[in-house]
Amino acid sequence: MNHDILKELAAILEARKSEAADKSYVASLYAKPDKMLEKIGEEAIETIIAAKNEDKQQIIYETADLWFHTMVMLAQKGLSPDDILNELARRFGVSGHDEKASR
């Protein structure tokens, strides 16, 4: 399995910033930030529905869509998967209650 896929995808998403919106789905999302955010919400809802239906394949599919659209938003905001992974690493081994209280 290719664990570098997040970095590879992030590089592609970054490159799409210079593409024409009519030539690239990602560029069309960058051109319409509200639509990009709506897609994240839509994919989150679809992921929840798949989980409630206990359909493992659909959970995988919808979660991939959710992660993809979230990565588009991160790239648009100048953030990378490493920023999120670093935050998860910072929280690792810390009680969820303690971490939340520290915010």
Side-chain angles (χ1 to χ4, degrees), residues 9-66:
L9 180 55
I12 292 169
L13 296 176
E14 190 64 31
R16 294 295 188 265
K17 288 180 176 180
S18 62
E19 297 288 325
D22 63 339
K23 302 281 186 203
S24 163
Y25 173 68
V26 171
S28 74
L29 292 174
Y30 289 145
K32 296 181 180 178
D34 286 348
K35 178 66 176 170
M36 176 182 49
L37 297 174
E38 287 173 17
K39 284 299 294 180
I40 294 170
E42 174 187 317
E43 299 303 343
I45 291 167
E46 290 173 356
T47 301
I48 291 166
I49 291 167
K52 285 193 64 83
N53 291 338
E54 299 190 25
D55 183 336
K56 289 183 181 183
Q57 191 56 48
Q58 200 64 24
I59 293 168
I60 293 167
Y61 181 84
E62 296 301 345
T63 301
D65 282 351
L66 176 59

